[in-house]
mmCIF file of all heavy atoms in Angstrom:
data_model
loop_
_atom_site.group_PDB
_atom_site.id
_atom_site.type_symbol
_atom_site.label_atom_id
_atom_site.label_comp_id
_atom_site.label_asym_id
_atom_site.label_seq_id
_atom_site.Cartn_x
_atom_site.Cartn_y
_atom_site.Cartn_z
ATOM 1 N N GLN A 1 133.687 103.619 98.884
ATOM 2 C CA GLN A 1 132.503 102.805 98.780
ATOM 3 C C GLN A 1 131.383 103.477 98.046
ATOM 4 O O GLN A 1 131.491 104.708 97.697
ATOM 5 C CB GLN A 1 132.082 102.309 100.128
ATOM 6 C CG GLN A 1 133.179 101.788 101.005
ATOM 7 C CD GLN A 1 133.873 100.517 100.483
ATOM 8 O OE1 GLN A 1 133.525 99.984 99.449
ATOM 9 N NE2 GLN A 1 134.884 100.062 101.226
ATOM 10 N N SER A 2 130.264 102.758 97.912
ATOM 11 C CA SER A 2 129.236 103.255 96.935
ATOM 12 C C SER A 2 127.854 103.422 97.666
ATOM 13 O O SER A 2 127.306 102.469 98.156
ATOM 14 C CB SER A 2 129.020 102.307 95.763
ATOM 15 O OG SER A 2 128.138 102.818 94.814
ATOM 16 N N HIS A 3 127.396 104.703 97.709
ATOM 17 C CA HIS A 3 126.035 105.006 98.171
ATOM 18 C C HIS A 3 125.147 104.859 96.958
ATOM 19 O O HIS A 3 125.048 105.854 96.141
ATOM 20 C CB HIS A 3 126.033 106.389 98.816
ATOM 21 C CG HIS A 3 124.729 106.919 99.060
ATOM 22 N ND1 HIS A 3 123.678 106.259 99.621
ATOM 23 C CD2 HIS A 3 124.140 108.180 98.785
ATOM 24 C CE1 HIS A 3 122.582 107.008 99.721
ATOM 25 N NE2 HIS A 3 122.841 108.130 99.203
ATOM 26 N N SER A 4 124.452 103.744 96.804
ATOM 27 C CA SER A 4 123.861 103.430 95.517
ATOM 28 C C SER A 4 122.500 103.952 95.209
ATOM 29 O O SER A 4 122.098 104.104 94.116
ATOM 30 C CB SER A 4 123.769 101.866 95.425
ATOM 31 O OG SER A 4 122.769 101.400 96.323
ATOM 32 N N MET A 5 121.775 104.359 96.321
ATOM 33 C CA MET A 5 120.393 104.770 96.110
ATOM 34 C C MET A 5 119.534 103.619 95.604
ATOM 35 O O MET A 5 118.525 103.897 94.818
ATOM 36 C CB MET A 5 120.292 106.050 95.245
ATOM 37 C CG MET A 5 121.007 107.249 95.776
ATOM 38 S SD MET A 5 120.211 107.882 97.299
ATOM 39 C CE MET A 5 118.762 108.602 96.785
ATOM 40 N N ILE A 6 119.894 102.381 95.912
ATOM 41 C CA ILE A 6 119.070 101.220 95.538
ATOM 42 C C ILE A 6 118.088 101.079 96.691
ATOM 43 O O ILE A 6 118.518 101.025 97.864
ATOM 44 C CB ILE A 6 119.936 99.967 95.352
ATOM 45 C CG1 ILE A 6 120.763 100.052 94.102
ATOM 46 C CG2 ILE A 6 118.984 98.761 95.258
ATOM 47 C CD1 ILE A 6 121.741 98.953 93.939
ATOM 48 N N HIS A 7 116.824 100.958 96.379
ATOM 49 C CA HIS A 7 115.780 100.606 97.450
ATOM 50 C C HIS A 7 115.273 99.237 97.162
ATOM 51 O O HIS A 7 114.769 98.905 96.120
ATOM 52 C CB HIS A 7 114.564 101.625 97.317
ATOM 53 C CG HIS A 7 115.067 103.042 97.651
ATOM 54 N ND1 HIS A 7 114.966 103.579 98.821
ATOM 55 C CD2 HIS A 7 115.507 103.990 96.748
ATOM 56 C CE1 HIS A 7 115.402 104.875 98.792
ATOM 57 N NE2 HIS A 7 115.733 105.123 97.582
ATOM 58 N N THR A 8 115.550 98.375 98.162
ATOM 59 C CA THR A 8 115.097 96.962 97.994
ATOM 60 C C THR A 8 113.642 96.857 97.680
ATOM 61 O O THR A 8 113.240 96.041 96.857
ATOM 62 C CB THR A 8 115.361 96.166 99.329
ATOM 63 O OG1 THR A 8 116.809 96.307 99.617
ATOM 64 C CG2 THR A 8 115.073 94.726 99.224
ATOM 65 N N CYS A 9 112.840 97.726 98.280
ATOM 66 C CA CYS A 9 111.393 97.593 98.101
ATOM 67 C C CYS A 9 110.979 97.856 96.712
ATOM 68 O O CYS A 9 110.029 97.239 96.126
ATOM 69 C CB CYS A 9 110.676 98.500 99.042
ATOM 70 S SG CYS A 9 110.934 100.312 98.600
ATOM 71 N N CYS A 10 111.516 98.814 96.010
ATOM 72 C CA CYS A 10 110.915 99.477 94.842
ATOM 73 C C CYS A 10 111.810 99.904 93.716
ATOM 74 O O CYS A 10 111.282 100.487 92.736
ATOM 75 C CB CYS A 10 109.971 100.527 95.300
ATOM 76 S SG CYS A 10 110.725 101.604 96.552
ATOM 77 N N THR A 11 113.107 99.671 93.787
ATOM 78 C CA THR A 11 113.939 99.849 92.627
ATOM 79 C C THR A 11 113.699 98.716 91.663
ATOM 80 O O THR A 11 113.842 97.636 92.113
ATOM 81 C CB THR A 11 115.436 100.016 92.978
ATOM 82 O OG1 THR A 11 115.608 101.083 93.918
ATOM 83 C CG2 THR A 11 116.268 100.286 91.758
ATOM 84 N N PRO A 12 113.432 99.033 90.339
ATOM 85 C CA PRO A 12 113.195 97.979 89.447
ATOM 86 C C PRO A 12 114.362 97.017 89.296
ATOM 87 O O PRO A 12 115.500 97.421 89.529
ATOM 88 C CB PRO A 12 112.962 98.646 88.102
ATOM 89 C CG PRO A 12 112.487 99.999 88.467
ATOM 90 C CD PRO A 12 113.147 100.332 89.746
ATOM 91 N N ALA A 13 114.063 95.700 89.169
ATOM 92 C CA ALA A 13 115.124 94.701 89.206
ATOM 93 C C ALA A 13 116.213 94.945 88.202
ATOM 94 O O ALA A 13 117.358 94.771 88.481
ATOM 95 C CB ALA A 13 114.530 93.310 88.996
ATOM 96 N N ALA A 14 115.819 95.420 87.020
ATOM 97 C CA ALA A 14 116.840 95.731 85.989
ATOM 98 C C ALA A 14 117.789 96.836 86.450
ATOM 99 O O ALA A 14 118.965 96.752 86.263
ATOM 100 C CB ALA A 14 116.221 96.133 84.680
ATOM 101 N N ASP A 15 117.170 97.856 87.086
ATOM 102 C CA ASP A 15 118.044 98.942 87.568
ATOM 103 C C ASP A 15 118.967 98.511 88.753
ATOM 104 O O ASP A 15 120.078 98.905 88.882
ATOM 105 C CB ASP A 15 117.190 100.124 88.077
ATOM 106 C CG ASP A 15 116.627 100.943 86.908
ATOM 107 O OD1 ASP A 15 117.012 100.660 85.734
ATOM 108 O OD2 ASP A 15 115.751 101.813 87.141
ATOM 109 N N ARG A 16 118.418 97.621 89.613
ATOM 110 C CA ARG A 16 119.205 97.151 90.722
ATOM 111 C C ARG A 16 120.520 96.405 90.217
ATOM 112 O O ARG A 16 121.541 96.639 90.651
ATOM 113 C CB ARG A 16 118.475 96.123 91.593
ATOM 114 C CG ARG A 16 117.354 96.723 92.401
ATOM 115 C CD ARG A 16 117.048 95.912 93.626
ATOM 116 N NE ARG A 16 116.558 94.619 93.216
ATOM 117 C CZ ARG A 16 115.340 94.171 93.075
ATOM 118 N NH1 ARG A 16 114.310 95.018 93.252
ATOM 119 N NH2 ARG A 16 115.095 92.924 92.757
ATOM 120 N N GLY A 17 120.307 95.603 89.200
ATOM 121 C CA GLY A 17 121.404 94.899 88.558
ATOM 122 C C GLY A 17 122.417 95.804 87.958
ATOM 123 O O GLY A 17 123.560 95.697 88.098
ATOM 124 N N THR A 18 121.877 96.802 87.214
ATOM 125 C CA THR A 18 122.773 97.766 86.525
ATOM 126 C C THR A 18 123.533 98.619 87.535
ATOM 127 O O THR A 18 124.790 98.767 87.328
ATOM 128 C CB THR A 18 121.920 98.631 85.618
ATOM 129 O OG1 THR A 18 121.160 97.859 84.707
ATOM 130 C CG2 THR A 18 122.829 99.565 84.809
ATOM 131 N N LEU A 19 122.907 98.986 88.607
ATOM 132 C CA LEU A 19 123.609 99.868 89.571
ATOM 133 C C LEU A 19 124.605 99.053 90.449
ATOM 134 O O LEU A 19 125.610 99.505 90.791
ATOM 135 C CB LEU A 19 122.560 100.477 90.497
ATOM 136 C CG LEU A 19 121.684 101.606 89.806
ATOM 137 C CD1 LEU A 19 120.475 101.893 90.595
ATOM 138 C CD2 LEU A 19 122.515 102.833 89.446
ATOM 139 N N MET A 20 124.213 97.796 90.675
ATOM 140 C CA MET A 20 125.213 96.952 91.429
ATOM 141 C C MET A 20 126.431 96.693 90.586
ATOM 142 O O MET A 20 127.592 96.768 91.028
ATOM 143 C CB MET A 20 124.551 95.606 91.736
ATOM 144 C CG MET A 20 125.289 94.796 92.802
ATOM 145 S SD MET A 20 125.190 95.404 94.512
ATOM 146 C CE MET A 20 123.453 94.910 94.913
ATOM 147 N N ALA A 21 126.206 96.545 89.257
ATOM 148 C CA ALA A 21 127.378 96.372 88.333
ATOM 149 C C ALA A 21 128.273 97.698 88.310
ATOM 150 O O ALA A 21 129.491 97.591 88.289
ATOM 151 C CB ALA A 21 126.959 96.000 86.947
ATOM 152 N N ALA A 22 127.605 98.786 88.363
ATOM 153 C CA ALA A 22 128.239 100.024 88.339
ATOM 154 C C ALA A 22 129.052 100.240 89.625
ATOM 155 O O ALA A 22 130.250 100.702 89.590
ATOM 156 C CB ALA A 22 127.286 101.223 88.220
ATOM 157 N N ALA A 23 128.496 99.899 90.755
ATOM 158 C CA ALA A 23 129.257 100.006 92.095
ATOM 159 C C ALA A 23 130.422 99.141 92.008
ATOM 160 O O ALA A 23 131.533 99.554 92.470
ATOM 161 C CB ALA A 23 128.329 99.599 93.182
ATOM 162 N N LYS A 24 130.296 97.907 91.533
ATOM 163 C CA LYS A 24 131.464 96.993 91.412
ATOM 164 C C LYS A 24 132.528 97.552 90.463
ATOM 165 O O LYS A 24 133.725 97.578 90.737
ATOM 166 C CB LYS A 24 130.989 95.661 90.925
ATOM 167 C CG LYS A 24 132.097 94.655 90.744
ATOM 168 C CD LYS A 24 132.775 94.228 92.000
ATOM 169 C CE LYS A 24 133.781 93.131 91.854
ATOM 170 N NZ LYS A 24 134.466 92.761 93.133
ATOM 171 N N ALA A 25 132.036 98.092 89.309
ATOM 172 C CA ALA A 25 133.002 98.674 88.325
ATOM 173 C C ALA A 25 133.741 99.899 88.911
ATOM 174 O O ALA A 25 134.912 100.143 88.486
ATOM 175 C CB ALA A 25 132.212 99.127 87.042
ATOM 176 N N SER A 26 133.146 100.563 89.840
ATOM 177 C CA SER A 26 133.887 101.710 90.437
ATOM 178 C C SER A 26 135.055 101.258 91.306
ATOM 179 O O SER A 26 135.854 102.079 91.688
ATOM 180 C CB SER A 26 132.896 102.621 91.228
ATOM 181 O OG SER A 26 132.640 101.953 92.500
ATOM 182 N N GLY A 27 135.079 99.998 91.674
ATOM 183 C CA GLY A 27 136.047 99.476 92.531
ATOM 184 C C GLY A 27 135.593 99.390 94.000
ATOM 185 O O GLY A 27 136.322 99.014 94.923
ATOM 186 N N ALA A 28 134.342 99.800 94.332
ATOM 187 C CA ALA A 28 133.824 99.714 95.663
ATOM 188 C C ALA A 28 133.763 98.217 96.090
ATOM 189 O O ALA A 28 133.514 97.406 95.325
ATOM 190 C CB ALA A 28 132.425 100.365 95.717
ATOM 191 N N ARG A 29 133.893 98.017 97.382
ATOM 192 C CA ARG A 29 133.725 96.713 97.974
ATOM 193 C C ARG A 29 132.357 96.621 98.778
ATOM 194 O O ARG A 29 132.016 95.514 99.156
ATOM 195 C CB ARG A 29 134.915 96.306 98.806
ATOM 196 C CG ARG A 29 136.133 96.136 97.977
ATOM 197 C CD ARG A 29 137.312 95.632 98.783
ATOM 198 N NE ARG A 29 138.425 95.249 97.940
ATOM 199 C CZ ARG A 29 139.584 94.863 98.397
ATOM 200 N NH1 ARG A 29 139.794 94.658 99.707
ATOM 201 N NH2 ARG A 29 140.584 94.600 97.608
ATOM 202 N N ILE A 30 131.897 97.751 99.156
ATOM 203 C CA ILE A 30 130.597 97.737 99.888
ATOM 204 C C ILE A 30 129.639 98.683 99.124
ATOM 205 O O ILE A 30 130.039 99.777 98.824
ATOM 206 C CB ILE A 30 130.773 98.254 101.334
ATOM 207 C CG1 ILE A 30 131.957 97.495 102.021
ATOM 208 C CG2 ILE A 30 129.525 98.104 102.129
ATOM 209 C CD1 ILE A 30 132.351 98.031 103.366
ATOM 210 N N VAL A 31 128.380 98.252 99.022
ATOM 211 C CA VAL A 31 127.387 99.063 98.388
ATOM 212 C C VAL A 31 126.320 99.342 99.468
ATOM 213 O O VAL A 31 125.866 98.453 100.189
ATOM 214 C CB VAL A 31 126.773 98.461 97.168
ATOM 215 C CG1 VAL A 31 126.076 97.110 97.421
ATOM 216 C CG2 VAL A 31 125.748 99.359 96.502
ATOM 217 N N ARG A 32 125.966 100.612 99.687
ATOM 218 C CA ARG A 32 124.950 100.972 100.633
ATOM 219 C C ARG A 32 123.571 101.055 99.998
ATOM 220 O O ARG A 32 123.441 101.709 98.964
ATOM 221 C CB ARG A 32 125.281 102.366 101.246
ATOM 222 C CG ARG A 32 124.294 102.915 102.316
ATOM 223 C CD ARG A 32 124.779 104.207 102.792
ATOM 224 N NE ARG A 32 123.913 104.764 103.880
ATOM 225 C CZ ARG A 32 123.103 105.736 103.760
ATOM 226 N NH1 ARG A 32 122.938 106.381 102.556
ATOM 227 N NH2 ARG A 32 122.396 106.159 104.844
ATOM 228 N N LEU A 33 122.630 100.319 100.552
ATOM 229 C CA LEU A 33 121.298 100.352 100.032
ATOM 230 C C LEU A 33 120.251 100.181 101.090
ATOM 231 O O LEU A 33 120.543 99.802 102.177
ATOM 232 C CB LEU A 33 121.129 99.207 98.877
ATOM 233 C CG LEU A 33 121.525 97.765 99.340
ATOM 234 C CD1 LEU A 33 120.406 97.097 100.055
ATOM 235 C CD2 LEU A 33 121.961 96.959 98.092
ATOM 236 N N ASP A 34 118.969 100.459 100.704
ATOM 237 C CA ASP A 34 117.852 100.531 101.653
ATOM 238 C C ASP A 34 117.246 99.103 101.787
ATOM 239 O O ASP A 34 116.927 98.474 100.773
ATOM 240 C CB ASP A 34 116.831 101.547 101.277
ATOM 241 C CG ASP A 34 117.275 102.936 101.459
ATOM 242 O OD1 ASP A 34 118.020 103.464 100.567
ATOM 243 O OD2 ASP A 34 116.939 103.517 102.419
ATOM 244 N N VAL A 35 117.021 98.684 102.997
ATOM 245 C CA VAL A 35 116.235 97.468 103.339
ATOM 246 C C VAL A 35 115.049 97.888 104.193
ATOM 247 O O VAL A 35 115.277 98.172 105.428
ATOM 248 C CB VAL A 35 117.180 96.426 104.031
ATOM 249 C CG1 VAL A 35 116.366 95.162 104.402
ATOM 250 C CG2 VAL A 35 118.352 96.038 103.138
ATOM 251 N N GLU A 36 113.918 98.059 103.602
ATOM 252 C CA GLU A 36 112.769 98.582 104.317
ATOM 253 C C GLU A 36 112.135 97.546 105.172
ATOM 254 O O GLU A 36 111.603 96.592 104.679
ATOM 255 C CB GLU A 36 111.790 99.147 103.287
ATOM 256 C CG GLU A 36 112.273 100.371 102.525
ATOM 257 C CD GLU A 36 113.075 99.930 101.241
ATOM 258 O OE1 GLU A 36 113.346 98.722 101.087
ATOM 259 O OE2 GLU A 36 113.603 100.819 100.621
ATOM 260 N N VAL A 37 112.152 97.825 106.517
ATOM 261 C CA VAL A 37 111.639 96.827 107.471
ATOM 262 C C VAL A 37 110.141 96.671 107.234
ATOM 263 O O VAL A 37 109.569 95.518 107.244
ATOM 264 C CB VAL A 37 111.906 97.301 108.951
ATOM 265 C CG1 VAL A 37 111.194 96.383 109.908
ATOM 266 C CG2 VAL A 37 113.413 97.347 109.142
ATOM 267 N N HIS A 38 109.468 97.745 106.954
ATOM 268 C CA HIS A 38 107.962 97.707 106.806
ATOM 269 C C HIS A 38 107.565 96.991 105.473
ATOM 270 O O HIS A 38 106.383 96.743 105.291
ATOM 271 C CB HIS A 38 107.364 99.114 106.854
ATOM 272 C CG HIS A 38 107.937 100.099 105.937
ATOM 273 N ND1 HIS A 38 109.205 100.476 106.052
ATOM 274 C CD2 HIS A 38 107.448 100.791 104.889
ATOM 275 C CE1 HIS A 38 109.567 101.402 105.081
ATOM 276 N NE2 HIS A 38 108.466 101.634 104.403
ATOM 277 N N GLY A 39 108.534 96.850 104.563
ATOM 278 C CA GLY A 39 108.253 96.073 103.418
ATOM 279 C C GLY A 39 108.505 94.547 103.575
ATOM 280 O O GLY A 39 108.091 93.791 102.642
ATOM 281 N N ILE A 40 109.199 94.223 104.638
ATOM 282 C CA ILE A 40 109.452 92.786 104.827
ATOM 283 C C ILE A 40 108.582 92.168 105.883
ATOM 284 O O ILE A 40 108.141 91.033 105.758
ATOM 285 C CB ILE A 40 110.932 92.671 105.266
ATOM 286 C CG1 ILE A 40 111.875 93.063 104.154
ATOM 287 C CG2 ILE A 40 111.265 91.238 105.742
ATOM 288 C CD1 ILE A 40 113.335 93.067 104.521
ATOM 289 N N VAL A 41 108.271 92.918 106.979
ATOM 290 C CA VAL A 41 107.403 92.495 108.048
ATOM 291 C C VAL A 41 105.960 92.872 107.761
ATOM 292 O O VAL A 41 105.609 94.102 107.794
ATOM 293 C CB VAL A 41 107.935 93.063 109.404
ATOM 294 C CG1 VAL A 41 107.070 92.514 110.592
ATOM 295 C CG2 VAL A 41 109.419 92.763 109.648
ATOM 296 N N ILE A 42 105.127 91.910 107.432
ATOM 297 C CA ILE A 42 103.780 92.118 106.867
ATOM 298 C C ILE A 42 102.768 91.730 107.933
ATOM 299 O O ILE A 42 102.793 90.587 108.408
ATOM 300 C CB ILE A 42 103.589 91.334 105.583
ATOM 301 C CG1 ILE A 42 104.748 91.543 104.595
ATOM 302 C CG2 ILE A 42 102.249 91.739 104.906
ATOM 303 C CD1 ILE A 42 105.029 92.906 104.143
ATOM 304 N N PRO A 43 101.812 92.629 108.249
ATOM 305 C CA PRO A 43 100.755 92.283 109.287
ATOM 306 C C PRO A 43 99.809 91.250 108.630
ATOM 307 O O PRO A 43 99.515 91.301 107.472
ATOM 308 C CB PRO A 43 100.033 93.613 109.558
ATOM 309 C CG PRO A 43 100.363 94.397 108.305
ATOM 310 C CD PRO A 43 101.749 94.028 107.782
ATOM 311 N N THR A 44 99.335 90.327 109.518
ATOM 312 C CA THR A 44 98.312 89.359 109.153
ATOM 313 C C THR A 44 97.268 89.341 110.284
ATOM 314 O O THR A 44 97.512 89.957 111.350
ATOM 315 C CB THR A 44 98.921 87.949 108.996
ATOM 316 O OG1 THR A 44 99.252 87.441 110.272
ATOM 317 C CG2 THR A 44 100.118 87.980 108.125
ATOM 318 N N PRO A 45 96.117 88.679 110.071
ATOM 319 C CA PRO A 45 95.165 88.635 111.108
ATOM 320 C C PRO A 45 95.709 87.979 112.392
ATOM 321 O O PRO A 45 95.143 88.246 113.532
ATOM 322 C CB PRO A 45 94.016 87.873 110.527
ATOM 323 C CG PRO A 45 94.091 88.057 109.077
ATOM 324 C CD PRO A 45 95.588 88.185 108.800
ATOM 325 N N ARG A 46 96.710 87.205 112.265
ATOM 326 C CA ARG A 46 97.176 86.475 113.527
ATOM 327 C C ARG A 46 98.554 86.981 113.903
ATOM 328 O O ARG A 46 99.195 86.358 114.776
ATOM 329 C CB ARG A 46 97.345 84.930 113.144
ATOM 330 C CG ARG A 46 95.964 84.346 112.965
ATOM 331 C CD ARG A 46 96.174 82.849 112.725
ATOM 332 N NE ARG A 46 94.839 82.174 112.475
ATOM 333 C CZ ARG A 46 94.702 80.859 112.411
ATOM 334 N NH1 ARG A 46 95.723 80.022 112.404
ATOM 335 N NH2 ARG A 46 93.482 80.342 112.219
ATOM 336 N N GLY A 47 99.059 88.089 113.419
ATOM 337 C CA GLY A 47 100.304 88.654 113.782
ATOM 338 C C GLY A 47 101.127 89.181 112.584
ATOM 339 O O GLY A 47 100.602 90.068 111.930
#
């Protein structure tokens, strides 16, 4: 499998696509990538 070093938060979109294609081309079926909780859950005045 592929440890891609893709960061959902901040890897440029073009690089994400290129690296995903590379992982697939290697024959991997699973790609490991970062999903940053603090980039998805955003504080607001009400929660």
